[in-house]
């Protein structure tokens, strides 16, 4: 699967008819009208994705006049947000039109901090993953400054890759495994990193990027990546399996985070009241049975790098070794308990497994389904328990995609200096 394949119909939702502002507005509002119509046109181009619509098709889809669309597209092309591609005819008659697409010469850097690795990816506006890099890094207990410095080295690689391909970086997205205050760039709580109310300076990673760097939760970003790039349905629960276990809730093709931003904390659902103490301070959480470290420990996998331990676990499972098979079976059983409760509470009919759950799916999935059938019979059909095909790129794609959406909503900010409003 091409992980850079854009899914425009999901990331950019059609605006209401009321947003289609009449161009004959009062003179004092002409600037505002043009701003909104620029966004409307760019949104239309993005939603049509691979179809590469012509100016005439954009006009038909937005309700704007052909002349207005031509003027707006000229600005978007000059600003570098839109590219003209090819020539084709809309029908039997008329002059051939040029197709339009989001530019491959503008991009956003997606970045991720996790407990045992760091990753970056360069995503162009057309949704193509142009560069990616990941390194193992034991970040638990390290000061944020040290982790950010190391991440900065990877961000420099992304910047170098962008320069080599002539891509201008507009901004970045940084995902972390914890609750965040996006507006103040504060990690409120990341238990597995041992971070509490830690102030970050993500803008320093991409100092010259006009949109700066947006902070987000790792599981939420992965859920959005699945929605936009991974054939995710309109309503689903994404389960992120790393050292911790996270969840992202998608309802009506939109991310649901709850009033306090903490919806989807699947890893801290209690699945065994008498279970072990969790990093969150509670006991018996799903994470203590199905988190990456919990599985390695129960499977008696020796210490080592993440890659080494994963290979050893997979080899043990292939050999049907009892400790490994029992560890993964138990993880699946408890995951099924948590999913049964979540599905009943949120009326979610589909679940997508990511992270190490995707890697272990062949051994994990039967136990999950058995548990679901016992605790929530008929609630989740087996075919609706799927595995992400994005592997570990989903979080990077989702983090970058959130910033790309900002570009679509405010293209006026990127017009060439001196162009009229």
């Amino acid at each position: 699967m091409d992980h850079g394949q854009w899914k425009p119909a999901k990331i950019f939702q059609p605006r209401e008819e009321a947003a289609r502002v009449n161009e004959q507005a009062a003179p004092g509002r002409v600037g505002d009208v043009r701003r909104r119509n620029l966004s409307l046109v760019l949104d239309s181009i993005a939603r049509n994705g691979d179809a590469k619509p012509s100016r005439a098709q954009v006009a038909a889809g937005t309700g704007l006049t052909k002349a207005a669309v031509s003027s707006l597209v000229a600005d978007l092309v000059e600003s570098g947000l839109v590219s003209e591609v090819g020539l084709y005819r809309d029908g039997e008659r008329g002059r051939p039109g040029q197709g339009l697409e989001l530019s491959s010469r503008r991009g956003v850097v997606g970045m991720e901090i996790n407990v045992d690795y760091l990753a970056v990816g360069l995503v162009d506006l057309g949704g193509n993953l142009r560069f990616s890099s990941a390194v193992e890094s034991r970040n638990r207990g390290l000061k944020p400054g040290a982790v950010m410095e190391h991440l900065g080295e990877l961000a420099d690689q992304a910047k170098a890759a962008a320069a080599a391909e002539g891509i201008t970086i507009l901004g970045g997205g940084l995902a972390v495994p914890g609750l965040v205050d996006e507006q103040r760039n504060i990690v409120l709580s990341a238990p597995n990193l041992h971070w509490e109310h830690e102030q970050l300076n993500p803008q320093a990673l991409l100092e010259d990027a006009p949109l700066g760097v947006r902070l987000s939760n790792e599981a939420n970003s992965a859920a959005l990546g699945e929605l936009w790039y991974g054939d995710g349905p309109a309503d689903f629960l994404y389960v992120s399996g790393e050292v911790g276990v996270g969840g992202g809730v998608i309802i009506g093709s939109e991310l649901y985070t709850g009033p306090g931003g903490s919806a989807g904390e699947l890893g801290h659902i209690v699945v065994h009241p008498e279970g072990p103490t969790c990093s969150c301070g509670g006991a018996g959480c799903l994470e203590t049975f199905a988190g990456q470290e919990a599985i390695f420990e129960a499977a008696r996998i020796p210490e080592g790098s993440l890659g080494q331990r994963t290979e050893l676990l997979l080899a043990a499972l292939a050999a049907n070794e009892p400790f490994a098979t029992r560890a993964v079976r138990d993880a699946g059983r408890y995951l099924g308990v948590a999913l049964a409760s979540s599905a009943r509470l949120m009326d979610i009919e589909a679940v997508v497994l990511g992270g190490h759950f995707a890697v272990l799916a062949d051994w994990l999935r039967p136990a999950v389904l058995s548990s679901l059938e016992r605790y929530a019979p008929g609630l989740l059909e087996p075919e609706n328990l799927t595995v992400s095909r994005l592997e570990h790129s989903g979080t990077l794609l989702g983090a970058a995609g959130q910033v790309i959406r900002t570009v679509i909503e405010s293209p006026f900010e990127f017009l060439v200096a001196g162009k009229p409003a």
Side-chain angles (χ1 to χ4, degrees), residues 370-419:
S370 177
S371 191
L372 280 168
E373 184 58 31
R374 178 178 180 183
Y375 298 110
L379 195 62
L380 186 71
E381 297 298 326
E383 61 269 24
N384 289 338
L385 177 66
T386 60
V387 175
S388 172
R389 292 182 291 174
L390 298 182
E391 298 178 350
H392 288 288
S393 65
T395 300
L396 299 177
L397 292 167
Q402 294 173 74
V403 181
I404 292 173
R405 187 167 187 170
T406 299
V407 176
I408 300 298
E409 293 171 350
S410 304
F412 180 84
E413 306 300 328
F414 301 94
L415 294 185
V416 175
K419 291 289 292 181

Side-chain angles (χ1 to χ4, degrees), residues 32-356:
D32 290 339
V33 170
R34 190 168 185 81
R35 287 173 187 255
R36 287 190 285 268
N37 286 342
L38 278 165
S39 179
L40 184 63
V41 168
L42 192 57
D43 177 81
S44 178
I45 295 170
R47 285 188 289 107
N48 280 280
D50 291 339
K52 297 179 176 52
S54 67
R55 288 165 173 78
Q57 289 170 328
V58 171
T62 60
L64 299 173
T65 66
K66 292 181 180 179
V69 168
S70 293
S71 174
L72 295 164
V73 166
D75 280 350
L76 292 170
V77 169
E78 191 171 355
S79 71
L81 298 182
V82 167
S83 298
E84 297 174 302
V85 290
L87 287 172
Y88 64 92
R89 293 184 182 277
D90 291 338
E92 292 290 331
R93 301 178 180 179
R95 297 171 58 186
Q98 284 187 303
L100 302 169
E101 66 178 6
L102 296 181
S103 176
S104 62
R105 312 292 280 185
R106 299 289 185 270
V108 174
V109 179
M111 296 170 279
E112 180 183 3
I113 294 172
N114 222 300
V115 179
D116 47 16
Y117 67 88
L118 300 171
V120 301
L122 174 66
V123 183
D124 67 27
L125 293 189
N128 303 297
L129 186 61
R130 305 288 289 272
F131 167 85
S132 65
S133 179
V135 296
E136 291 195 19
S137 175
R138 298 191 177 187
N139 300 315
R140 190 197 305 264
L142 292 183
K143 295 293 184 182
V147 177
M148 292 290 282
E149 182 177 355
H150 194 182
L151 182 62
E153 296 171 3
L154 290 183
D156 287 342
Q157 294 179 22
K159 287 186 278 189
E165 296 197 44
I167 297 173
T168 299
I169 295 174
L170 300 181
L174 172 58
V176 299
L179 302 179
V180 303
D181 181 335
E182 177 187 333
Q183 301 302 318
R184 296 187 295 163
N185 289 322
I186 295 175
V187 178
L188 299 173
S189 178
N192 288 312
L193 287 172
H194 297 171
W195 290 2
E196 295 290 330
H197 285 85
E198 295 286 358
Q199 179 77 56
L200 301 186
N201 181 20
Q203 319 311 324
L205 297 168
L206 301 171
E207 291 182 342
D208 298 327
L211 282 180
V213 178
R214 177 174 178 172
L215 187 64
S216 64
N217 170 267
E218 168 263 331
N220 286 342
S221 289
L224 288 171
E226 189 67 30
L227 173 70
W228 298 332
Y229 299 91
D231 295 325
D235 304 279
F236 67 96
L237 171 63
Y238 179 88
V239 184
S240 171
E242 303 291 348
V243 170
V245 176
V249 183
I250 301 294
I251 299 176
S253 295
E254 296 287 343
L255 177 68
Y256 176 74
T257 60
S262 61
E265 284 292 292
L266 189 75
H268 300 292
I269 288 180
V270 176
V271 293
H272 191 317
E274 305 305 321
T277 301
C278 180
S279 62
C280 73
C285 297
L286 173 64
E287 192 170 289
T288 64
F289 296 98
Q292 189 171 270
E293 291 297 324
I295 294 174
F296 284 148
E297 183 177 346
R300 300 193 178 181
I301 302 299
E303 290 295 327
S305 70
L306 174 59
Q308 292 170 338
R309 300 185 86 188
T310 300
E311 287 183 8
L312 287 172
L313 176 60
L314 291 174
L317 290 168
N320 203 30
E321 292 185 2
F323 288 114
T325 54
R326 185 181 303 115
V328 174
R329 184 179 63 244
D330 287 348
R333 179 163 60 91
Y334 284 115
L335 176 57
V337 172
L339 292 179
S341 298
S342 300
R344 288 190 185 280
L345 182 65
M346 296 183 292
D347 193 26
I348 293 294
E349 296 182 349
V351 172
V352 179
L353 303 178
H356 70 255

